[in-house]
Amino acid sequence: ISKNNILLNQLEDSILTDLSNSDADILENRALIKSLQEAQKKSGSISKDLKESEQTQREILETTSKYRPSAKRGSILFFSISKLSEISKMYEFSLAAYLVVFLKALDNSDKDNDIEKRVANIVTTLTDNVYDYVCTGIFE
């Protein structure tokens, strides 16, 4: 999106420069007219690309927002197990180790085309995996 915005700004600057440097009658300046026509074609193409990019960005934001409950549960679980170190330094868990558990939960959770069911599956699997991981760490 920013690349296209930059191109649009460059086209605008180019047009303004060409117009300000034009000495003769604007309507008789063939190079200027050709430059304006090319700029018009490019700006139309860029505007179309920008609209498509914005639509794609909206779809991505909408989809990611549907997965927020699983991210929220993941952060709650991580900060909960990280607080175990206040009980005893023996119960210290690293973020890197937790990420392994989190990614395994994503891979091992039941897949579903319905995003709400998929998120519920992720949350359940993640909770179970973290519980098992912490119990293994505490009792071994």
Side-chain angles (χ1 to χ4, degrees):
I1 292 175
S2 62
K3 180 181 174 185
N4 286 333
N5 283 331
I6 291 169
L7 286 174
L8 275 177
N9 286 337
Q10 288 173 345
L11 280 174
E12 290 173 0
D13 291 343
S14 172
I15 289 170
L16 290 174
T17 302
D18 289 346
L19 286 172
S20 65
N21 292 338
S22 178
D23 294 333
D25 185 20
I26 295 175
L27 297 175
E28 293 178 11
N29 189 340
R30 301 245 186 252
L32 178 60
I33 292 173
K34 185 177 178 180
S35 172
L36 289 172
Q37 288 171 342
E38 289 175 9
Q40 184 180 16
K41 288 178 187 176
K42 287 180 184 178
S43 70
S45 172
I46 291 170
S47 295
K48 181 183 171 192
D49 290 345
L50 277 172
K51 286 179 184 175
E52 290 174 5
S53 298
E54 289 170 356
Q55 176 62 29
T56 303
Q57 186 178 24
R58 276 193 297 276
E59 290 171 5
I60 290 170
L61 288 173
E62 182 181 323
T63 302
T64 56
S65 70
K66 291 178 182 177
Y67 282 91
R68 273 208 185 24
S70 59
K72 183 177 180 179
R73 173 63 64 95
S75 67
I76 290 169
L77 290 171
F78 173 73
F79 288 111
S80 296
I81 66 172
S82 68
K83 288 291 187 178
L84 290 175
S85 66
E86 293 178 8
I87 296 170
S88 172
K89 291 293 180 191
M90 193 172 101
Y91 303 140
E92 205 163 292
F93 297 93
S94 71
L95 177 60
Y98 178 77
L99 286 175
V100 170
V101 174
F102 185 84
L103 293 174
K104 281 186 182 176
L106 290 178
D107 288 339
N108 296 338
S109 61
D110 293 334
K111 313 296 187 250
D112 201 308
N113 289 333
D114 182 18
I115 292 178
E116 288 181 16
K117 289 180 183 177
R118 173 74 174 133
V119 169
N121 294 340
I122 291 170
V123 167
T124 301
T125 304
L126 178 61
T127 304
D128 292 344
N129 288 4
V130 169
Y131 176 79
D132 293 342
Y133 177 71
V134 171
C135 286
T136 302
I138 290 175
F139 296 119
E140 284 190 13

